[in-house]
Structure formats: C-alpha cells, structure tokens
Amino acid sequence: MTHAADFRALSELLTGEQPLDQATADAHRERLARHFPADVDRLIDAYRAAVGQPDPGAALFTAVNADPALARLARETLAIWYTAQFTRPDNTQDAPDTPSRYRAGLVWKVISAHPLSAAPVPGGYGYWTQHP
Amino acid sequence: MDTTYDVVIIGAGVAGAMCACRIKEVKPQARILLLDAGDNDVDDDQRQAFVDAYQVSTAKNVPSPYAALGNNKFGYAPSSDGTSDPVAMNRYYVESGPDLFKSGFQRMVGGSTWAWRGNTPRFLPTDFDLKTRYGIAVDWPLTYNDLEPYYAQAEVELGVSGNRDEWEPLTPRSTDYPMPGIAASYGDELVRAALADIEPIDGTPVTVLTTPQARNSEEYQGRSACQGNSSCIPICPSGAKYDASVHVRRARDELDVQVRTGCTVARLVPRPGNVSPTVVFRDWTTTERAEEQVNGTHVVLAVNAIETPKLWLLSGLDNRSDQVGRNLMDHLAEEVVGLFGQPVFPYRGPQSTLSIETFRDGPWRRTTGAFRMTIGNDGWGRFESPSLAVDKLMWDPAAKKLKHYGTELQDALAERVTRMLRIGYSTEQLPDSANRVTLSDERDGLDIPRPKIAFKIDDYSKRALAYGHSVARRIWQHMEDTAGAEEIEPLQPTLKFNGAGHPMGTTRMGTDRATSVVNADGLSHAHTNLWVVGPSVFPTGSTANPTLTLAALTLRTADKLATTLP
Ligand SMILES: Cc1cc2nc3c(=O)[nH]c(=O)nc-3n(C[C@H](O)[C@H](O)[C@H](O)COP(=O)(O)OP(=O)(O)OC[C@H]3O[C@@H](n4cnc5c(N)ncnc54)[C@H](O)[C@@H]3O)c2cc1C
Ligand code: SF4
C-alpha cells in the first residue's frame, strides 16, 4: 500500500468513519507533514504494524499512546478530520485550508447539525423545528 | 466634490443609514451626503466573501469575517475586536480599567449590525423613568408612549418578527409585528415544556416568550426567510437577519443619497455664526490621504457610543455639561450551562429564539439591576465550542494520551454536544459618570487619537450578575429535578461577565443642558444644527438590546430634522 492510502486507512481507524475521501486525506496529510515532518511517517509505520493485529484500531490506539509524539499527531489527525483545523507544535492553530474543507468537517455530522454558516440542504425556513 | 449639502451624516451604520433614508423619504429634494470610514461593498459578493473568511478563520469570533478589511488591516479606521481578551480589546481601545470594557463594534459600511445577533425587544415603559419610580439613575426626557409610534415604524424598517399576543402586556403596541414570531427549535420546545410547570422564583413567574428579532420568518422586502445557518453572530449568509447594508443600498440606489466610503472623519470644526460645524475627513483609500472638508446645513453624528464622544472631544466641541464621553454603559452578560436530560440538538436554526422577560423589572431594582434571560440554541456558546468538545473528549492533556477514538469518540461527542444548553442573562448597568471615553495619547493609522476607556463594574451591577446567576441556577435546578439535566456550571456566581456589544450613554439626552449633551430630539444643546443618533444618546440602558430603541429614536430625530428643511 502507498503512503497516501495508508494515511487514509489509519484515519478511518482513528475516526471510525468509512470510507474517507482520498483527496481530502492527501490534503490533510500534507498539512500535517508540514508541521510534524518526522512523525507522519512514523504514524503510518505504526498503522502498518497494527493492521496485522486482530483488532487493528485497538492496536493502533495502544501503539500511539506508548509514544508521546505519535499520540500528539494522532490527536491532530483526529482534529483535522473533525474540524479541518489542528494545533501546530508551537500551539498556534492551523486554519481550515478552504471553506469547503471546513464544511466537510466530521464534527457537524456527528452532532446531527450542519456547519455553522452553511445551512443544510435540503433545509429551508423552519427545518430546525424538527428532530434531525 | 460639491461641498454644500442640506445634511451631512457621519456613519453608515443602522443609525446613520436609516436617518438618511427617512429624511430623503420625507424631503425628496434634500441633498444628503452619507460618509463612512469603511470601504467594503454591501452586495451579495461581499457577503459571500465574509462567509468564506469566517469559514477559514481559526477563532470564528466576532471580527473573523471582517479582519481583512483594509481599514482594520492597516489601522486607518480600526474596529474594536469585541472579545473578552484584554490584548485583543486593546489593539484599538486603550483601556485604563479597573475593569475591562469588553464590547467592540465594526467600523465598516453597514456598521456593527453586520455582526449583531438581531434580537429586538422594546424597552419596558418603566425603563424610561427609573428616577421617578425607583429613585435611581435618571429619567428619560420622553416616555414609552412618546416613542411607541416610532417603535412600530422601526420594526417595519428592520423587519421584526414577533408575536403580538405574547408581548402586548409587557410593551403595549399600536400595531402587529411585520412578521409572525420566528419558529422555535426542536430543543427550544423541549425546554419550554420542561419549564411549563416551574414555580415562580422569589414570587416572579418564569414565562418563556418568543424573542422579537430582526430576522425574517418569511420573505420580507426582497430578503429571504431565515435559512437557519446558525451563524447570526458574526455573519448571516442569507441576509435574512437585518443589517444596515439594507439602508445603505436603499439610500444609495433608490433615494439618491450620495454615499462616500473609505472616508474617515477626523474632526469637526465650529464655524463662526449660527451654523453647523465643518466636517473634515480623509479618504484613506487614496495615496495622499489628504484632508477634505464639507459643509452641511445640518450635521448628524452617527458613529456609535465610542466614536461619537471621541470625535466630539477631539474636535473641541462644547462640553460645558462635562457629560461628553461619560456614562458609558453595556449589558454585562453571563450564562449558566448544563446538559439537558435528552438531546436538544443545538446549532440548528437561529442562535436564540426564546427568552424570559419577567426579571426585567421589579421592586428589587432599587438596589439590584434587572436582567433579560435568553435560552440559547447554540450549545454552550462561548463556554465550549464543538471543536473544543472534540478535544476534551479525545485528549487527556495531563497524560498526553488519546482517551477515545473511532465510533466510541463519535458516540461520546454526540451524547454530550447534542444535550448542551445555555441559559444566558444580560444585566442592567446604571450610568456612572466615571465610566467614560476620553482621548488617548496613542494614535491610529491616520494619526487620530484612539479612544481611552475607563470602566468599573459597580455594586449594583455585581448584585445584578449575582441575582441573574441565582435565577438561572434555580431554573437549571428545576430541569435537574424534572428533566434529567446534569453537569450544570458554574454552580456559584463568579461575577465574571462578557460584553454584550452594546456601548451606550456617552452623549446622553435630557432637558437640562447642564447635565446632558442633546435634547430629546437628538439636537445638540450647544451647537446649531448638530444632531446625534445612535445608542450614545440613551440616558439609561434598560435590559433590552439597544438597536430597536436607537432605530426608533433615529426615525424621530430624522423627522424633526426634516421638518426644518425647505
Ligand atoms: C456581537 C454583537 C452582537 C449584537 N447583538 C445585538 C442584538 O442582538 N440586538 C441589538 O439590539 N443589538 C445588538 N448589538 C448592538 C448593535 O450592533 C448596535 O447597537 C448597532 O449596530 C449600533 O448602530 P450604530 O449605527 O449606532 O453604530 P455602528 O453600527 O457601530 O455604526 C457606526 C458607523 O460609523 C462609522 N464610523 C465610525 N467612525 C467613523 C469616522 N470617524 N468617520 C466616518 N465613519 C465612521 C462606522 O464605519 C459604522 O458604519 C450587537 C453588537 C455586537 C458587536
Ligand atoms: S440562522 Fe442563519 S439565516 Fe437565520 S438569521 Fe441566523 S445566520 Fe441568518
């Protein structure tokens, strides 16, 4: 498997969401690699070691939590999928790269809402009176 | 440019732009110039650009859609950021404390209404005579009944949705609202049901009403019904929430008002004789940024409660009353949050649709400020955003380890965020002459002094914050006892507060020129044909959001001014 495919696959394990979009995965991986250059490859290696295990998700979880740098990158990987934004090593924020990536953040779907400033389609006046 | 106008209006926010439209509607021949420091457009493309900027911002705070505007970026007519962060607030204000004045404004064409929430309750009749009734603060020079016809007109101008039968007992009305009340959300109705049987608190009933709001519940004057984007603060993508771009466009495109943007007024210069002052401004979008000047038979200041006194003071205009810049007020706001017993599904629909108005007046007001309460439809609001909730659930910051991942994380997040609810209270603050805007030695990008702000929360306001907490806490207790609510916080009053974005009071109106700056018509006591519109003319601030009241006063002032024109 390629780097690109493996990053997407490990993102699917971390987020519990399947299938994730490959182009988005590529963009997210590149943004993270810019700030965590050494650790992205190590996270992919950890994933490759975990896929052979009976419960790959649990194995990956254990592996990253045994290594603070990997745990941190796993956190930022989850953050970028949920919100298109993550915290850089210097604790500044890396903003969503495009409006559409912001809107595609996983958080909105999980909480049964829609991205703030982007009403649901179909929607229209009063959709909010109904159970989602 | 032609340098003589019947009326020069400074500031194209809701006050200035609405004033221009009204005068022109009454006197179509009037030559009117509307000057504004912002240089943004007021069309759909501009709105979309603000939405895009918001979506890719990291903070999603009030200034995020507008941060890139030239006047802000280069400091030529900076906005105040409007956050609770002292560093951010002091980028434009120079605050001398002891407390932080936390309310900002937007210096842009259309003004602060681009960012406002759009809630538009009227003041109560008792708000106009606090001195007579409770022996506190001052009375207004006009009554609720004097203003009522203008309230009705202002509701038409802004496009207010509301339910007359709910509001008639509190604020008597001569008309229906222009639109039916906004639809409450699924979660709002659960909360309303949970509070249906709550006992009165300290003898005051807890009654839930639909908040009147300048947010369309149906198509209105060419603007769509609310689409429920849930980003009313800081930007409405659909334009269903009123903002003053409505009146700027009407003034410019339909009423032939001359609008000049990118023009920051630097000072007013009194002229000899019985005439209004000359307006001196600089177009910061030109390379020279040279001073230009213009005269009007009338000059109207409409640059909000921070910039109006600043401009007045730096121009050395008459201040024998010593009231210019004093009595700065806001509504200090706080909230008690918790998890409701079942999902309320926040972040769907307008940020707030329901309110509790019964604590806005009562005999305790002699010693303790009143407050308005709102039921939020935006989760925990500023307390914990959805992205912060993600981080809290997945990450253990002490151990530096992941706590949850995968579908388990999804489930935990859904469980928590869909139950988030906040009950906010926004308190009354009395005029205090020591709370004031003066001139700082520090200057902005056009070498104009920045406003210096002294601000202190007095005991009256602290008691209001404490009582607001106590009532909100008891409402939550009821929901804990009957509707499975939990994780309520803060349990004790903290006396912390947020700004409401409502600067008021700094050029107050009154009948006595020794204690006020303008008369009940908004006309300067001291200067011929110099008028003020906007929240700076409020003698007291009530508990209601200010904009409907300032709009009503603006229409009244515009009518008075128009009658003097040929
Ligand atoms: C986050 C937020 C939420 C709010 N929510 C509500 C709400 O729910 N309900 C409510 O009633 N109110 C609300 N408000 C308050 C509301 O926005 C203001 O009351 C209202 O916008 C004031 O209108 P204004 O025209 O007096 O001033 P502004 O809207 O501030 O307009 C002033 C205008 O003057 C221009 N200007 C300033 N200085 C100069 C200069 N030197 N030369 C030329 N032009 C200048 C500015 O560019 C601007 O266009 C909120 C405010 C904020 C910030
Ligand atoms: S909910 Fe959306 S469409 Fe409605 S007023 Fe707020 S931002 Fe505008």
Side-chain angles (χ1 to χ4, degrees), chain B residues 215 225-232 235-241 349-351:
Chain B
R215 181 176 286 100
C226 172
Q227 299 298 300
N229 295 280
S230 320
S231 58
C232 323
I235 175 73
C236 173
S238 73
K241 177 193 79 172
Q351 288 166 338

Side-chain angles (χ1 to χ4, degrees), chain B residues 57-80:
Chain B
S57 72
T58 53
K60 308 268 181 292
N61 58 8
V62 174
S64 55
Y66 315 113
L69 289 178
N71 51 318
N72 285 330
K73 213 161 72 184
F74 307 116
Y76 291 134
S79 302
S80 158

Side-chain angles (χ1 to χ4, degrees), chain A residues 71-90:
Chain A
R72 170 67 193 265
L73 181 57
R75 171 198 180 196
E76 304 313 337
T77 304
L78 277 162
I80 204 172
W81 281 105
Y82 268 95
T83 64
Q85 182 169 330
F86 67 95
T87 308
R88 300 180 190 124
D90 65 0

Side-chain angles (χ1 to χ4, degrees), chain B residues 192-497:
Chain B
R192 198 200 307 254
L195 296 181
D197 60 350
I198 186 171
E199 293 292 322
I201 293 177
D202 302 333
T204 305
V206 177
T207 315
V208 177
L209 302 183
T210 307
T211 309
Q213 30 201 289
R215 181 176 286 100
N216 295 346
S217 61
E218 56 197 26
E219 196 181 314
Y220 186 77
Q221 296 182 348
R223 292 183 288 122
S224 83
C226 172
Q227 299 298 300
N229 295 280
S230 320
S231 58
C232 323
I233 295 177
I235 175 73
C236 173
S238 73
K241 177 193 79 172
Y242 169 86
D243 57 56
S245 69
V246 168
H247 283 102
V248 175
R249 283 194 305 270
R250 189 182 300 161
R252 186 191 62 191
D253 303 341
E254 295 170 29
L255 293 168
D256 200 25
V257 169
Q258 191 179 346
V259 179
R260 277 200 65 181
T261 61
C263 292
T264 304
V265 173
R267 62 187 182 281
L268 305 182
V269 181
R271 286 188 282 164
N274 224 4
V275 292
S276 66
T278 296
V279 177
V280 178
F281 63 96
R282 291 162 73 184
D283 182 344
W284 57 265
T285 64
T286 60
T287 33
E288 307 78 37
R289 298 192 272 280
E291 274 192 3
E292 300 177 52
Q293 42 179 304
V294 62
N295 287 317
T297 308
H298 297 268
V299 171
V300 181
L301 277 169
V303 291
N304 77 42
I306 304 295
E307 296 301 303
T308 298
K310 187 196 85 176
L311 207 47
W312 192 293
L313 292 171
L314 70 80
S315 304
L317 298 184
D318 180 278
N319 188 19
R320 273 171 290 180
S321 69
D322 190 29
Q323 293 305 305
V324 176
R326 293 193 186 270
N327 309 306
L328 175 65
M329 295 173 280
D330 192 5
H331 296 122
L332 310 179
E334 243 302 40
E335 52 210 15
V336 178
V337 305
L339 300 180
F340 195 69
Q342 54 177 301
V344 287
F345 299 109
Y347 305 108
R348 299 168 72 248
Q351 288 166 338
S352 142
T353 66
L354 300 181
S355 60
I356 297 164
E357 309 282 333
T358 40
F359 294 89
R360 285 180 60 187
D361 190 39
W364 75 85
R365 230 170 153 188
R366 291 178 181 279
T367 55
T368 303
F371 47 91
R372 256 194 95 233
M373 308 188 80
T374 47
I375 296 170
N377 189 32
D378 52 353
W380 281 5
R382 295 182 261 208
F383 202 84
E384 183 177 315
S385 66
S387 33
L388 189 59
V390 174
D391 196 57
K392 279 190 164 176
L393 287 169
M394 74 168 159
W395 186 245
D396 179 341
K400 298 201 187 318
K401 286 182 196 299
L402 282 186
K403 288 198 290 192
H404 295 290
Y405 74 100
T407 49
E408 195 185 290
L409 175 60
Q410 291 198 13
D411 293 346
L413 186 67
E415 220 283 312
R416 182 174 175 81
V417 177
T418 59
R419 293 168 59 204
M420 283 182 171
L421 176 70
R422 73 178 175 89
I423 298 193
Y425 46 96
S426 182
T427 64
E428 173 178 32
Q429 189 180 19
L430 296 182
D432 174 344
S433 67
N435 287 346
R436 64 188 298 204
V437 177
T438 54
L439 303 177
S440 165
D441 295 336
E442 297 185 41
R443 290 169 176 263
D444 67 20
L446 284 180
D447 202 28
I448 297 171
R450 288 160 55 188
K452 181 171 167 186
I453 296 180
F455 194 65
K456 182 170 187 286
I457 309 303
D458 68 4
D459 287 348
Y460 186 85
S461 293
K462 284 182 183 161
R463 286 191 285 265
L465 284 167
Y467 193 34
H469 176 273
S470 159
V471 170
R473 175 76 190 84
R474 282 180 276 174
I475 291 173
W476 270 109
Q477 187 64 52
H478 176 81
M479 295 195 289
E480 198 173 339
D481 296 342
T482 64
E486 58 186 347
E487 280 197 43
I488 294 149
E489 64 178 313
L491 293 177
Q492 289 79 27
T494 62
L495 300 191
K496 285 188 194 153
F497 62 92

Side-chain angles (χ1 to χ4, degrees), chain B residues 86-101:
Chain B
V87 177
M89 289 310 297
N90 278 310
R91 263 181 225 134
Y92 178 58
Y93 295 164
V94 177
E95 300 217 29
S96 59
D99 293 306
L100 191 63
F101 186 74

Side-chain angles (χ1 to χ4, degrees), chain B residues 22 53 67 103 186 412 435 493:
Chain B
R22 173 53 73 94
S103 282
Y186 169 82
N435 287 346

